Amino acid sequence: ITSVTISGPPSPVVNAPFTVTITFSEAVTGFTAGDINATNATLSNLSTTDNITYTALVTPSAAGAVTMQVPAGIAVNIGNNANTASNSLSYTYDNTVPVVTSVTVPANGYYKTGDVLNFTVNFSENLAVNGTPYIDITIGSTVIHANYISGSGTNALAFAYTVQPGDQDLDGIAIGAAIQLNGGTIRDAAANAALLTLNNVG
């Protein structure tokens, strides 16, 4: 009896077509991409060099669950024995770009040297942050940075700036149009880069 396993990317969440590997316990014949049971995806470019290990390209059809399995009896070995069923492989396909839904700003009032101005940027989904992104803040005619301080793993990213001697802006500070990555990254679980434009600023 010929056994078979199917494997793919280690992350359970994907955002693009990906490759799976189908491995039989011995050489088989009669195996095609159409033999693989797939939900919410199409398989193509099936190839092998030894009739044991095959690779195929999986193209998800829509956002959501993607599953694959090699059913029993679709290929035979040299003794004309059919294969057993493989394991089932499951992923979540997410190609939606995270966006800013709102920005919370410090309360209206006067701030003095040493006070901290806190800003919270709320996104449409949870994000992972690497590095130290920042928001441009204009105080008077000077542009400074409110640096990222926390929130990775959630949908609310916190930024802060400590008021310095000489900072003065009596008609209100202004916020830049977008988060600056500063060499870092802001991505969701599927590695979709967030859209950094600031919306609905308080």
Side-chain angles (χ1 to χ4, degrees), residues 7-153:
S7 59
S11 173
V13 185
V14 295
N15 68 354
F18 58 95
T19 298
V20 292
T21 301
I22 302 97
T23 306
F24 290 87
S25 59
E26 57 186 316
V28 296
T29 58
F31 181 53
T32 68
D35 292 325
I36 304 171
N37 290 336
T39 301
N40 190 32
T42 57
L43 285 90
S44 59
N45 299 343
L46 183 72
S47 63
T48 183
T49 58
D50 57 10
N51 293 329
I52 296 175
T53 302
Y54 294 77
T55 59
L57 180 67
V58 180
T59 303
S61 303
V66 174
T67 62
M68 290 144 286
Q69 185 191 36
V70 178
I74 51 81
V76 295
N77 63 11
I78 194 171
N80 207 39
N81 297 306
N83 66 284
T84 58
S86 77
N87 58 302
S88 181
L89 199 60
S90 299
Y91 292 93
T92 298
Y93 177 57
D94 176 8
N95 63 341
T96 302
V97 175
V99 297
V100 175
T101 57
S102 64
V103 181
T104 302
V105 301
N108 187 27
Y110 288 92
Y111 294 83
K112 64 182 183 299
T113 298
D115 287 346
V116 178
L117 303 179
N118 291 301
F119 305 84
T120 301
V121 181
N122 300 297
F123 280 86
S124 55
E125 57 182 296
N126 293 345
L127 299 169
V129 180
N130 290 301
T132 311
Y134 62 81
I135 300 172
D136 284 330
I137 306 295
T138 302
I139 298 180
S141 59
T142 303
V143 178
I144 51 83
H145 300 157
N147 291 317
Y148 165 77
I149 56 172
S150 66
S152 185

Side-chain angles (χ1 to χ4, degrees), residues 148-201:
Y148 165 77
I149 56 172
S150 66
S152 185
T154 75
N155 69 333
L157 305 185
F159 297 77
Y161 173 74
T162 301
V163 178
Q164 302 297 307
D167 286 345
Q168 182 170 290
D169 193 330
L170 297 181
D171 61 358
I173 64 175
I175 299 177
I179 296 172
Q180 304 300 314
L181 288 176
N182 192 29
T185 60
I186 302 177
R187 299 179 181 275
D188 67 9
N192 295 302
L195 186 63
L196 304 177
T197 303
L198 299 178
N199 301 304
N200 299 317
V201 179

